[in-house]
Every structure is written in structure tokens, then in C-alpha cells.
Amino acid sequence: AMVYLYRISSMGFAVGLDVDCNNKELAKLFPKQFFLDVLDPGKYVFTGRGENEDDLVLTLEPNKKYYIEVSPKMGWVKARCKLELMELSEGNKKVQKCKLVGMNQAAKEILNYKE
């Protein structure tokens, strides 16, 4: 499964929002950035971290795409974080407006990515 984690909003533009998958750090996303994660089918917990932690639990199916929007929200000291699973067409449109900032090894192999 291909999981696109992206941030569109420029609210709190100077603050990066951390995103983990099963307690493994994936990316720190700033506005108009995305991270591509290719994962085996199964259950995963995605966690967004800002002033708070927000979990999104997904059961991934083979050969499907998933779009998770990472949104900043107003907090007391720094931005809070919200993760939301988006519809395919909306998620794809938003990812097109973002810059790729990283991908996991499985994504690099599938896309034949060379650094």
C-alpha cells in the first residue's frame, strides 16, 4: 500500500509537525510537503505530534493508495496536530501541490529512486 502523508496548510508555517508510524519517526512536515510510505498490508498507527499527539489507525490493503492530511491547529504554546484520512481524489489533488521531502526504502525500491 502507498501512504501519502502531506501538509498543505501554512498556518504555523515555521513549525514542523512530526509524523510517526508504529512509533517509528517518518517525517517532520512543513507547509506544502509530503512523505511517501510504502507498507505491507496490515494494521498501522500513524501519530502526528505537535503540542498534542493525534493517532490515526488504519488497516492497509494491498495495492491501494491512502492520503493522510497532517493539519496544524491552534495550540497554547505551539501548533497542535490533526491527522485525517482523505478521499482519494481530494488527497491526490492536494499532494500535487506539495513537494516530496522523503520516502521509505520500500518506496525507493518500487519507484527505482536514485539519490
Side-chain angles (χ1 to χ4, degrees):
M2 296 180 100
V3 180
Y4 294 84
L5 298 130
Y6 67 92
R7 177 176 170 189
I8 284 285
S9 176
S10 57
M11 177 179 165
F13 68 93
V15 177
L17 296 175
D18 295 314
V19 182
D20 299 353
C21 178
N22 292 350
N23 294 315
K24 181 181 175 191
E25 184 180 323
L26 295 180
K28 181 181 287 280
L29 294 175
F30 290 89
K32 299 202 171 157
Q33 293 184 340
F34 80 95
F35 182 89
L36 177 59
D37 204 13
V38 173
L39 299 166
D40 291 328
K43 186 176 179 180
Y44 293 88
V45 179
F46 294 90
T47 303
R49 288 189 169 76
E51 186 176 82
N52 66 319
E53 287 188 5
D54 187 41
D55 291 336
L56 178 64
V57 179
L58 292 178
T59 300
L60 304 180
E61 297 179 27
N63 303 315
K64 287 202 170 183
K65 291 182 180 179
Y66 298 85
Y67 294 89
I68 300 173
E69 186 165 343
V70 180
S71 301
K73 303 292 179 192
M74 290 296 288
W76 288 103
V77 178
K78 62 180 185 175
R80 295 179 59 79
C81 186
K82 175 75 176 150
L83 300 183
E84 185 177 1
L85 181 63
M86 304 303 286
E87 300 247 346
L88 292 178
S89 61
E90 184 178 354
N92 187 47
K93 283 180 198 172
K94 290 181 176 181
V95 164
Q96 299 300 317
K97 298 176 184 176
C98 297
K99 177 183 173 189
L100 176 67
V101 293
M103 63 180 81
N104 69 348
Q105 188 59 40
K108 290 178 183 178
E109 291 170 9
I110 288 172
L111 299 174
N112 198 26
Y113 181 78
K114 305 225 187 308
E115 294 184 55

